[in-house]
Structure formats: structure tokens, C-alpha cells
Amino acid sequence: MKFLCLPGAYGSAKNFAVQLGPLAEELSKRGVAEFTYSQGIHEVDPPTGWEDYFGARPLYRFLDTRRGDTFETLRRLRHVPHGMNPEDTMRMFQNGSEGEEWHQRAWRDALESVFQTIDEDPEIDAIIGYSEGAMVGASLVVEEGLREKRTGIPRRIKFAIFISGAPPLKMEGDKRITAQLADEITEPVIDIPTFHIFGCDDAFLSSAVALFNVCDQKSAMMYDHGLGHIVPRDNENVGILGNILGSIIPPVEEAARKQALAHASKNKMPKMPIRVGGEASGELQRHRRRTLETGFEMNKIEKMDFSTGESGLREETASSSSRF
């Protein structure tokens, strides 16, 4: 599979390639994945007091924050009361902020930029997102699913790896952007296979679990690396993740290939949108601007046989510091 890699806020394609380097190298050696790196389109300065934290400049965000920033709001997640479930935690913070007209435009522009990146590389069929990149990636997966239902255009993303992520966002009213939460939906909003990586010491753990909770539980897996809000790079975690993902990716890829062939045969249409001069087809462009529709009790990895649809639970122990 070819993964589009989306960095976190105040990141860059170059810095994320370094962060993800050990895991990407491990999966590449196993012959199950290749990677291409992207970044937000808005160059930003790091927050005051964090000038040396995010790595070499220039730094970017997917969201245009020139008229406001959510960094201080996110920092307050470090001080949430213990015992709140992930959904209530997310609601507590989004209910405390009023929507403004520019919010929805900034969010549409962020998604549009990632869709354009995918359009430019027809080999991309999976996503790895970290932090803000995971939130953007999750929202893109939801949008692709909605687009497929509306237009019949096959979705591109067949598998997603979310590292310290956050739930997908949706439009609410004329101004607000809110998270899609498990206790407010009747069915999973992300129905492709997903793998969730986070640490039990992550100050933003609630948002990562809230993302896991809106995914199809039959094909969602989680891994706790035992650390904080980071991309794991140590030998132990990278080795374990290599073993797990090395066994997951091939059957996911094969199931996606069969599904694409069946879809193409049934509808007698190309598997991918037709492109002219590197641009997406007119049909795809017409559906570009769209309106978004749309506890933590697990201690096991759910292993799904994606070729047969059968699933079963198994425990995966990393070490005394890794829970699954």
C-alpha cells in the first residue's frame, strides 16, 4: 500500500519523515508499504514558549489560524477532570468555544488541499496521520465514503493508521465545526479498516480514544506504546508495530483489490476517476465542495480477517510499558 503521511500541527513533510522514519523503514523492509509525505498549506510560527519543540522551520498547519487558534484550547485538555469519558471531554471543550464564519471555510480548504494531493498521485490508497494530521485524515475518510454513496466514485483510501488522533469533524449550523462522537451516531462514521496508535501517558488521550470509538469496531485495532503524545521510534515498539502491521496490511490490500475489481465490473467504469493534464475529472471536481455530514475499556486488539470478514480477539503484549 502507498500511504499519504500527514503531520501534526506545526509540522512539515520533512520533519514528519524524520519522526516516522523508523516505523516507515521497518514496514518498507517488509515490503508491505511505501510512503509519500505532505503538509499543511499554511506556514505558521510555533506558539510562544514552544519555539524549539516542533523541529526545524518552516512549519505548517492544515488549518488557517490567522484569525484564531485552538492551541490554548488543546492545551487545556491536559487539565480535564479524571473519570470523564472521551465523548464528554470533547464536548466540554467544543461547547466552550463559539463558532465564527471563517471556521467552516478554513476547514473546507484544509480538506480540499489533501484531496488535491491524493488526486495528484493515483497510487495513494492509505493514510497515516499524526495528531492534527490524523483528524484531517479521519475527516477525509468520512468525506470519501459520503461521496461514494452520492456519486458512485470509488473511494481511494482503503486503510488508515491514526497516531494520537482526534475524531473527524462536521459542519454544525452556519458557523461551527464539531467533532463526530460515538454516543451521537447510530453507526460507525469510519467503516474502513483502521489502526490506532497512542500512549497511555498522552495528555490528549481522550481525543485519540474518541476517534477509535467512531470507527467500525469489527475492523479497528488499537496499540498503546506506553508513552505520550509522540510517534513511537524506539526499537521495541517499532518491532512490535512492524509485526502487527506487517500481518494486517496484505489482507487489507487484497480485500480492497477484490472489492475494486467487483465494483468496476458491476458498474462497467474505470476504477479511478479519469484525469486530464494531471487534474481530477470534471465529475470529481463538481463534487469537491461538499458539506460535512456526518469509555476507554479496551485492553485487547481485535484481529479482523479482511478477506473472509471473520474476526476474533487476541491480546498483544509489547512489554511492561505497552498494554496490548
Side-chain angles (χ1 to χ4, degrees), residues 2-4 34-37 114-126 156-157 272 275 278-280:
K2 186 169 186 178
F3 287 86
L4 175 63
E34 55 183 308
F35 305 88
T36 184
Y37 294 83
V114 181
F115 270 113
Q116 182 176 346
T117 300
I118 293 174
D119 288 339
E120 293 169 352
D121 187 342
E123 295 183 353
I124 292 172
D125 55 1
R156 291 283 302 279
I157 304 304
M272 305 296 298
R275 289 170 171 74
E279 295 296 326

Side-chain angles (χ1 to χ4, degrees), residues 139-193:
S139 301
L140 182 138
V141 170
V142 174
E143 278 295 286
E144 272 208 322
L146 294 173
R147 182 181 68 186
E148 184 176 49
K149 292 177 181 178
R150 290 195 306 267
T151 70
I153 298 175
R155 63 177 71 185
R156 291 283 302 279
I157 304 304
K158 311 301 194 305
F159 180 52
I161 298 174
F162 299 125
I163 306 173
S164 298
L169 302 183
K170 65 178 180 179
M171 307 287 188
E172 184 176 279
D174 296 328
K175 296 181 179 181
R176 298 193 70 199
I177 301 290
T178 60
Q180 301 195 64
L181 300 175
D183 58 1
E184 298 175 358
I185 59 177
T186 57
E187 60 183 14
V189 295
I190 296 179
D191 58 358
I192 65 170

Side-chain angles (χ1 to χ4, degrees), residues 129-260:
Y130 166 60
S131 195
E132 181 178 273
M135 179 182 68
V136 172
S139 301
L140 182 138
V141 170
V142 174
E143 278 295 286
E144 272 208 322
L146 294 173
R147 182 181 68 186
E148 184 176 49
K149 292 177 181 178
R150 290 195 306 267
T151 70
I153 298 175
R155 63 177 71 185
R156 291 283 302 279
I157 304 304
K158 311 301 194 305
F159 180 52
I161 298 174
F162 299 125
I163 306 173
S164 298
L169 302 183
K170 65 178 180 179
M171 307 287 188
E172 184 176 279
D174 296 328
K175 296 181 179 181
R176 298 193 70 199
I177 301 290
T178 60
Q180 301 195 64
L181 300 175
D183 58 1
E184 298 175 358
I185 59 177
T186 57
E187 60 183 14
V189 295
I190 296 179
D191 58 358
I192 65 170
T194 56
F195 190 83
H196 303 252
I197 301 171
F198 47 77
C200 58
D201 287 337
D202 189 345
F204 309 128
L205 179 60
S206 293
S207 64
V209 178
L211 170 56
F212 176 85
N213 288 345
V214 298
C215 295
D216 187 346
Q217 301 296 290
K218 295 180 180 178
S219 56
M221 301 173 65
M222 60 165 68
Y223 178 82
D224 175 4
H225 52 66
L227 303 171
H229 194 76
I230 64 166
V231 179
R233 294 168 44 84
D234 61 283
N235 290 338
E236 182 180 26
N237 277 306
V238 167
I240 294 171
L241 287 168
N243 288 334
I244 297 171
L245 290 169
S247 66
I248 293 172
I249 293 173
V252 170
E253 191 169 25
E254 177 62 16
R257 186 188 68 83
K258 291 179 178 178
Q259 185 179 32

Side-chain angles (χ1 to χ4, degrees), residues 72-147:
E72 288 301 320
T73 299
L74 289 175
R75 287 185 64 186
R76 296 206 311 271
L77 277 170
R78 296 174 180 269
H79 308 294
V80 298
H82 292 292
M84 291 185 67
N85 66 42
E87 289 71 33
D88 286 342
T89 300
M90 299 300 294
R91 268 190 295 270
M92 181 176 71
F93 286 100
Q94 65 186 24
N95 289 342
S97 59
E98 291 297 325
E100 298 182 26
E101 290 183 0
W102 65 271
H103 286 175
Q104 293 189 0
R105 171 57 60 184
W107 182 239
R108 283 193 293 265
D109 289 346
L111 282 185
E112 178 68 17
S113 70
V114 181
F115 270 113
Q116 182 176 346
T117 300
I118 293 174
D119 288 339
E120 293 169 352
D121 187 342
E123 295 183 353
I124 292 172
D125 55 1
I127 276 182
I128 293 181
Y130 166 60
S131 195
E132 181 178 273
M135 179 182 68
V136 172
S139 301
L140 182 138
V141 170
V142 174
E143 278 295 286
E144 272 208 322
L146 294 173
R147 182 181 68 186

